[in-house]
Amino acid sequence: MKTIIDQPEMDEISFGQLRQNWRQQFAQRQIETAALDARLLLCAAAGLDQAQLISKERDLVPPEIVALMAQFGARRLAHEPVARILGRAEFYGLSFGVNKDTLVPRPETELLVDHAINLLPQGGNFIDLGTGTGCIAISILHERADISGVATDIATRALDMAAQNAASHGVEKRLALLAGSWFDPVPNGERFDLIVSNPPYIAQSERDLMNADALSFDPDAALFAEEEGMAAYIAILAVARTHLQPLGKLLFEIGFRQADQLEKAAKSAGATQVTFFKDLSGHNRVAQISW
Ligand code: GLN
């Protein structure tokens, strides 16, 4: 007797077929990273790493994994970023948990971490203002075992995430997490060798120019600032000097067209030196400021 099978049912599909199936659906929606996204989401749905997924290409996918992948896939088709669906993102070679109150760490921000690591003196300390996932502070501490840090954020659920991330990378003993706006939770007169911050810096008027995917899934409070995107910088610059050691420095991530405005704001706050560093796209992305 012959059994005739026209189409594979969803409960008898192989890992390879399921991956291709979602890749095509993503590609039809103009998602540029269709192949990568299908692979990452299927790995997560199945609890496999990429090598394991390849070795299972011809194996049948258990129905509960098909169902979970269908949920992940539907969210991606609605343009939710993969990092939001998985609740995790890679930054500086480490994996960070993200939640609704944190930005997804961006590759540009790694430039700020590079400079922070170079500037910090042996045994020094730093403060990270608006830490979010904690990606900047935790990456610095992970690279430099001699350093300790303070990180603040106004969103307490962001601080919870930062605490989890610090613990999972083994730096929690060297990182104090404080709830409050910028320097508010820091005692007057407490000084640091380095201040770092990637604050919200997008002007409300720039909303339309932004990548729609990121915009609708990142928290507004992490993205937008008043005064044409300058409000956070101005607030931090106003008191930064009182929290810096005599040779201390301030590092900001800035928007790709903000260098001139930032230099003006820093000079009006009495800064004597402002240097910019370019990202891989050639934009001034990090400002180094000192008094
Ligand atoms: N410091 C965090 C980061 O760089 C959060 C930044 C933010 O929310 N603006 O990802």
Side-chain angles (χ1 to χ4, degrees), residues 15-178:
F15 279 93
Q17 287 168 319
L18 187 60
R19 186 173 56 72
Q20 289 297 350
N21 182 325
W22 280 106
R23 184 187 61 75
Q24 281 164 12
Q25 293 195 60
F26 295 158
Q28 279 161 13
R29 252 349 129 79
Q30 268 68 53
I31 295 170
E32 283 171 19
T33 49
L36 176 66
D37 295 358
R39 192 154 24 93
L40 290 174
L41 292 173
L42 184 54
C43 279
L48 300 172
D49 66 29
Q50 301 205 28
Q52 290 168 324
L53 181 66
I54 291 167
S55 73
K56 279 177 159 285
E57 283 275 290
R58 288 159 192 272
D59 296 3
L60 291 184
V61 188
E64 65 277 11
I65 292 172
V66 175
L68 185 56
M69 183 62 201
Q71 288 176 23
F72 288 174
R75 290 168 68 181
R76 188 68 191 108
L77 287 176
H79 292 278
E80 185 167 351
V82 170
R84 289 263 165 232
I85 298 170
L86 302 183
R88 302 206 73 76
E90 291 286 317
F91 179 85
Y92 222 79
L94 302 171
S95 171
F96 287 88
V98 304
N99 68 18
K100 281 199 168 61
D101 289 86
T102 69
L103 206 65
V104 171
R106 310 279 146 131
E108 302 91 285
T109 309
E110 294 184 348
L111 181 66
L112 190 155
V113 175
D114 286 339
H115 286 281
I117 289 166
N118 285 334
L119 283 173
L120 277 161
Q122 190 64 28
N125 69 348
F126 71 91
I127 182 165
D128 176 20
L129 302 168
T131 197
T133 55
C135 63
I136 297 173
I138 293 165
S139 300
I140 295 171
L141 294 170
H142 190 259
E143 288 291 313
R144 289 280 307 266
D146 58 304
I147 298 295
S148 58
V150 173
T152 70
D153 205 291
I154 199 165
T156 53
R157 278 177 301 185
L159 284 181
D160 294 342
M161 196 75 251
Q164 275 182 41
N165 285 327
S168 70
H169 296 303
V171 302
E172 73 279 12
K173 292 207 177 69
R174 291 183 286 124
L175 181 62
L177 293 165
L178 306 177

